[in-house]
Short mmCIF file of all heavy atoms in Angstrom, two decimals:
data_model
loop_
_atom_site.label_atom_id
_atom_site.label_comp_id
_atom_site.label_asym_id
_atom_site.label_seq_id
_atom_site.Cartn_x
_atom_site.Cartn_y
_atom_site.Cartn_z
N LEU A 1 20.71 -4.39 39.94
CA LEU A 1 21.58 -4.66 41.09
C LEU A 1 22.68 -5.68 40.85
O LEU A 1 23.64 -5.72 41.61
CB LEU A 1 20.72 -5.10 42.27
CG LEU A 1 19.71 -4.07 42.80
CD1 LEU A 1 18.86 -4.67 43.89
CD2 LEU A 1 20.42 -2.82 43.30
N LEU A 2 22.54 -6.53 39.84
CA LEU A 2 23.60 -7.51 39.61
C LEU A 2 24.93 -6.78 39.42
O LEU A 2 25.05 -5.93 38.52
CB LEU A 2 23.28 -8.36 38.37
CG LEU A 2 22.41 -9.61 38.60
CD1 LEU A 2 22.01 -10.23 37.28
CD2 LEU A 2 23.14 -10.63 39.45
N PRO A 3 25.91 -7.08 40.25
CA PRO A 3 27.17 -6.31 40.20
C PRO A 3 27.82 -6.27 38.83
O PRO A 3 28.44 -5.27 38.46
CB PRO A 3 28.06 -7.05 41.22
CG PRO A 3 27.09 -7.66 42.18
CD PRO A 3 25.90 -8.06 41.35
N GLU A 4 27.68 -7.36 38.06
CA GLU A 4 28.35 -7.39 36.76
C GLU A 4 27.59 -6.62 35.68
O GLU A 4 28.10 -6.40 34.57
CB GLU A 4 28.56 -8.84 36.30
CG GLU A 4 27.28 -9.64 36.07
CD GLU A 4 26.83 -10.41 37.31
OE1 GLU A 4 27.19 -9.98 38.42
OE2 GLU A 4 26.11 -11.42 37.14
N ASN A 5 26.35 -6.20 35.96
CA ASN A 5 25.56 -5.47 34.96
C ASN A 5 25.96 -3.99 34.92
O ASN A 5 26.36 -3.40 35.93
CB ASN A 5 24.07 -5.58 35.26
CG ASN A 5 23.51 -6.93 34.85
OD1 ASN A 5 24.26 -7.81 34.40
ND2 ASN A 5 22.22 -7.13 35.00
N SER A 6 25.80 -3.40 33.74
CA SER A 6 26.12 -1.98 33.54
C SER A 6 24.86 -1.14 33.78
O SER A 6 23.84 -1.34 33.12
CB SER A 6 26.64 -1.75 32.13
OG SER A 6 26.58 -0.39 31.80
N THR A 7 24.95 -0.19 34.73
CA THR A 7 23.81 0.69 35.00
C THR A 7 23.47 1.52 33.76
O THR A 7 22.30 1.74 33.45
CB THR A 7 24.13 1.63 36.18
OG1 THR A 7 24.65 0.87 37.26
CG2 THR A 7 22.89 2.37 36.65
N TYR A 8 24.48 1.95 33.06
CA TYR A 8 24.27 2.76 31.86
C TYR A 8 23.42 1.99 30.84
O TYR A 8 22.47 2.53 30.27
CB TYR A 8 25.61 3.13 31.25
CG TYR A 8 25.51 3.86 29.94
CD1 TYR A 8 25.18 5.21 29.88
CD2 TYR A 8 25.71 3.18 28.73
CE1 TYR A 8 25.06 5.88 28.67
CE2 TYR A 8 25.59 3.83 27.51
CZ TYR A 8 25.26 5.17 27.48
OH TYR A 8 25.15 5.83 26.28
N LYS A 9 23.75 0.71 30.63
CA LYS A 9 23.00 -0.09 29.65
C LYS A 9 21.55 -0.30 30.09
O LYS A 9 20.63 -0.28 29.27
CB LYS A 9 23.69 -1.44 29.46
CG LYS A 9 25.00 -1.35 28.67
CD LYS A 9 25.61 -2.72 28.48
CE LYS A 9 26.90 -2.63 27.66
NZ LYS A 9 27.55 -3.95 27.49
N VAL A 10 21.35 -0.47 31.40
CA VAL A 10 19.99 -0.65 31.92
C VAL A 10 19.17 0.61 31.67
O VAL A 10 18.02 0.54 31.22
CB VAL A 10 20.02 -0.98 33.43
CG1 VAL A 10 18.60 -0.97 34.03
CG2 VAL A 10 20.67 -2.34 33.68
N ILE A 11 19.76 1.77 31.94
CA ILE A 11 19.05 3.05 31.74
C ILE A 11 18.71 3.24 30.26
O ILE A 11 17.57 3.61 29.91
CB ILE A 11 19.91 4.23 32.25
CG1 ILE A 11 20.04 4.15 33.78
CG2 ILE A 11 19.30 5.57 31.83
CD1 ILE A 11 21.08 5.11 34.35
N GLN A 12 19.68 3.00 29.38
CA GLN A 12 19.46 3.19 27.94
C GLN A 12 18.37 2.25 27.42
O GLN A 12 17.50 2.67 26.63
CB GLN A 12 20.77 2.97 27.17
CG GLN A 12 21.83 4.03 27.44
CD GLN A 12 21.33 5.43 27.18
OE1 GLN A 12 20.77 5.72 26.10
NE2 GLN A 12 21.48 6.32 28.17
N LYS A 13 18.39 1.01 27.85
CA LYS A 13 17.37 0.04 27.42
C LYS A 13 15.98 0.47 27.90
O LYS A 13 15.00 0.41 27.14
CB LYS A 13 17.70 -1.35 27.95
CG LYS A 13 16.69 -2.43 27.59
CD LYS A 13 17.09 -3.78 28.17
CE LYS A 13 16.08 -4.86 27.82
NZ LYS A 13 14.74 -4.62 28.36
N TYR A 14 15.89 0.92 29.14
CA TYR A 14 14.61 1.35 29.71
C TYR A 14 14.05 2.54 28.92
O TYR A 14 12.86 2.55 28.55
CB TYR A 14 14.80 1.72 31.19
CG TYR A 14 13.54 2.25 31.84
CD1 TYR A 14 12.52 1.40 32.24
CD2 TYR A 14 13.39 3.62 32.07
CE1 TYR A 14 11.37 1.90 32.84
CE2 TYR A 14 12.24 4.13 32.66
CZ TYR A 14 11.23 3.26 33.05
OH TYR A 14 10.09 3.74 33.64
N LEU A 15 14.90 3.53 28.62
CA LEU A 15 14.45 4.72 27.88
C LEU A 15 14.03 4.37 26.45
O LEU A 15 13.05 4.92 25.93
CB LEU A 15 15.55 5.79 27.88
CG LEU A 15 15.86 6.42 29.25
CD1 LEU A 15 17.07 7.35 29.15
CD2 LEU A 15 14.65 7.18 29.78
N ARG A 16 14.74 3.44 25.83
CA ARG A 16 14.37 3.02 24.46
C ARG A 16 12.98 2.37 24.47
O ARG A 16 12.15 2.64 23.59
CB ARG A 16 15.39 2.01 23.91
CG ARG A 16 16.67 2.65 23.37
CD ARG A 16 17.43 1.68 22.47
NE ARG A 16 17.75 0.43 23.13
CZ ARG A 16 18.84 0.21 23.86
NH1 ARG A 16 19.73 1.19 24.01
NH2 ARG A 16 19.04 -0.97 24.42
N ASP A 17 12.72 1.51 25.47
CA ASP A 17 11.41 0.86 25.56
C ASP A 17 10.30 1.88 25.77
O ASP A 17 9.21 1.77 25.19
CB ASP A 17 11.40 -0.15 26.72
CG ASP A 17 12.22 -1.39 26.40
OD1 ASP A 17 12.56 -1.57 25.23
OD2 ASP A 17 12.51 -2.18 27.34
N LEU A 18 10.56 2.89 26.61
CA LEU A 18 9.55 3.93 26.83
C LEU A 18 9.23 4.67 25.54
O LEU A 18 8.07 4.90 25.20
CB LEU A 18 10.06 4.93 27.88
CG LEU A 18 9.91 4.58 29.36
CD1 LEU A 18 10.42 5.75 30.22
CD2 LEU A 18 8.47 4.27 29.73
N LYS A 19 10.28 5.03 24.82
CA LYS A 19 10.08 5.81 23.59
C LYS A 19 9.32 5.02 22.54
O LYS A 19 8.48 5.56 21.81
CB LYS A 19 11.44 6.25 23.03
CG LYS A 19 12.09 7.35 23.85
CD LYS A 19 13.49 7.66 23.34
CE LYS A 19 14.18 8.71 24.21
NZ LYS A 19 15.58 8.96 23.77
N SER A 20 9.60 3.72 22.43
CA SER A 20 8.97 2.92 21.38
C SER A 20 7.52 2.54 21.74
O SER A 20 6.68 2.42 20.85
CB SER A 20 9.78 1.65 21.12
OG SER A 20 9.79 0.83 22.28
N LYS A 21 7.24 2.38 23.02
CA LYS A 21 5.90 1.89 23.41
C LYS A 21 4.99 2.99 23.97
O LYS A 21 3.77 2.82 23.97
CB LYS A 21 6.04 0.76 24.44
CG LYS A 21 6.75 -0.46 23.86
CD LYS A 21 7.02 -1.52 24.93
CE LYS A 21 7.77 -2.70 24.34
NZ LYS A 21 8.15 -3.71 25.35
N LEU A 22 5.58 4.06 24.49
CA LEU A 22 4.78 5.17 25.04
C LEU A 22 5.29 6.49 24.48
O LEU A 22 5.70 7.38 25.23
CB LEU A 22 4.86 5.16 26.58
CG LEU A 22 4.32 3.93 27.31
CD1 LEU A 22 4.63 4.02 28.80
CD2 LEU A 22 2.82 3.76 27.10
N SER A 23 5.27 6.62 23.18
CA SER A 23 5.87 7.79 22.51
C SER A 23 5.13 9.09 22.82
O SER A 23 5.69 10.18 22.70
CB SER A 23 5.91 7.56 20.99
OG SER A 23 4.61 7.24 20.53
N ASP A 24 3.85 9.00 23.21
CA ASP A 24 3.06 10.20 23.47
C ASP A 24 3.28 10.76 24.87
O ASP A 24 2.88 11.90 25.16
CB ASP A 24 1.57 9.92 23.28
CG ASP A 24 1.24 9.55 21.83
OD1 ASP A 24 2.02 9.98 20.96
OD2 ASP A 24 0.24 8.85 21.60
N GLU A 25 3.85 9.98 25.75
CA GLU A 25 4.02 10.43 27.14
C GLU A 25 5.30 11.24 27.30
O GLU A 25 6.29 11.01 26.61
CB GLU A 25 4.04 9.22 28.09
CG GLU A 25 2.69 8.57 28.25
CD GLU A 25 2.65 7.61 29.44
OE1 GLU A 25 3.58 7.64 30.28
OE2 GLU A 25 1.67 6.84 29.54
N ARG A 26 5.26 12.18 28.28
CA ARG A 26 6.45 13.00 28.56
C ARG A 26 7.04 12.57 29.91
O ARG A 26 6.31 12.27 30.86
CB ARG A 26 6.07 14.48 28.63
CG ARG A 26 5.63 15.03 27.30
CD ARG A 26 5.44 16.52 27.38
NE ARG A 26 5.08 17.09 26.10
CZ ARG A 26 4.95 18.39 25.86
NH1 ARG A 26 5.18 19.26 26.85
NH2 ARG A 26 4.60 18.84 24.68
N TYR A 27 8.34 12.55 29.97
CA TYR A 27 9.02 12.15 31.21
C TYR A 27 10.42 12.76 31.18
O TYR A 27 10.96 13.09 30.13
CB TYR A 27 9.10 10.63 31.33
CG TYR A 27 9.31 9.94 30.02
CD1 TYR A 27 10.58 9.85 29.46
CD2 TYR A 27 8.23 9.39 29.31
CE1 TYR A 27 10.77 9.24 28.24
CE2 TYR A 27 8.43 8.77 28.09
CZ TYR A 27 9.69 8.69 27.55
OH TYR A 27 9.89 8.09 26.34
N ASP A 28 10.99 12.92 32.37
CA ASP A 28 12.30 13.55 32.52
C ASP A 28 13.37 12.45 32.57
O ASP A 28 13.45 11.68 33.54
CB ASP A 28 12.33 14.37 33.82
CG ASP A 28 13.57 15.24 33.92
OD1 ASP A 28 14.67 14.73 33.58
OD2 ASP A 28 13.44 16.39 34.36
#
C-alpha cells in the first residue's frame, strides 16, 4: 500500500519467495 512502492516489484518478490521455499506447491 505504500504509494511510493511498486506493485510489480512486490508481486515478483512474493512469487520468487514461493518458488524458492515451496517449490512443490502449485498456485495460479
Side-chain angles (χ1 to χ4, degrees):
L1 297 176
L2 273 172
E4 63 268 25
N5 283 4
S6 163
T7 311
Y8 175 78
K9 287 182 179 178
V10 172
I11 292 169
Q12 293 305 309
K13 179 180 179 298
Y14 176 78
L15 292 174
R16 280 198 304 272
D17 287 346
L18 278 182
K19 288 174 183 176
S20 63
K21 296 174 182 176
L22 298 173
S23 55
D24 296 335
E25 288 194 13
R26 294 188 177 185
Y27 36 81
D28 190 318

